[in-house]
Amino acid sequence: MSGCIFCRIVAGDAPATPVHEDDLLYAFLDIRPITRGHLLVIPRSHATNLEDLDPGIGARIFTLGQRLAKALRCSDLGADGANLVLNDGRSAFQTVHHVHLHVVPRRRGDTLTFAKGFLLRRPHEPEATAAAVRAGLDRLALEEKESRA
């Protein structure tokens, strides 16, 4: 869909700061983050809402969201929790009509900061933040490899 900003991001026609890419999914920093490290996970193929989304891809979106939440805990961003949120439809506050999962890092005692971030939604050093998330993914992969050994 040429008018969809997320489709343009996937096509490389709009800027984004990616943290993960595979054949079906794309994860990147939200340009209006609630907290530092706020990520979006989207399917590469356009699906306006959950009704349009293949259930297998939906499962992969949440699997990656869970992995990214773990990576945020392994990163240097100081997260010790996460909100995973998918707004489905206008009445659920979906503003970009391409399915997307928000992975929002949380920190113990951050209620006021979180509320402020919800209102202000300003970027926080995107390149350094993305590098920290990717480092968290690398640490998580290493931990998983060591636990299998």
Side-chain angles (χ1 to χ4, degrees):
M1 257 184 120
S2 64
C4 174
I5 185 63
F6 289 171
C7 288
R8 291 191 348 247
I9 286 170
V10 167
D13 297 332
T17 308
V19 297
H20 172 87
E21 298 181 57
D22 65 34
D23 57 332
L24 295 175
L25 306 178
Y26 191 85
F28 56 99
L29 292 178
D30 190 310
I31 62 166
R32 295 183 56 237
I34 295 170
T35 63
R36 185 173 182 214
H38 179 169
L39 305 168
L40 300 175
V41 180
I42 64 171
R44 286 184 172 274
S45 59
H46 185 83
T48 300
N49 52 41
L50 288 176
E51 186 176 310
D52 300 331
L53 185 65
D54 174 270
I57 294 175
R60 295 259 317 253
I61 288 170
F62 273 91
T63 298
L64 179 56
Q66 179 185 27
R67 183 163 190 76
L68 289 168
K70 288 179 179 180
L72 288 165
R73 289 178 183 208
C74 291
S75 76
D76 293 333
L77 297 177
D80 56 14
N83 289 113
L84 275 63
V85 179
L86 193 149
N87 301 327
D88 182 39
R90 215 175 285 280
S91 61
F93 307 110
Q94 182 180 3
T95 56
V96 176
H97 297 283
H98 181 126
V99 170
H100 56 287
L101 177 68
H102 294 262
V103 181
V104 184
R106 299 297 302 270
R107 291 147 191 94
R108 189 169 289 110
D110 73 349
T111 305
L112 292 176
T113 304
F114 182 80
K116 179 180 172 186
F118 210 102
L119 295 173
L120 297 179
R121 300 194 71 169
R122 301 241 189 330
H124 308 276
E125 303 171 353
E127 292 304 325
T129 301
V133 173
R134 289 189 291 267
L137 282 167
D138 292 344
R139 287 182 194 134
L140 180 59
L142 182 61
E143 286 177 13
E144 291 169 343
K145 182 178 177 182
E146 289 173 352
S147 70
R148 286 191 298 266

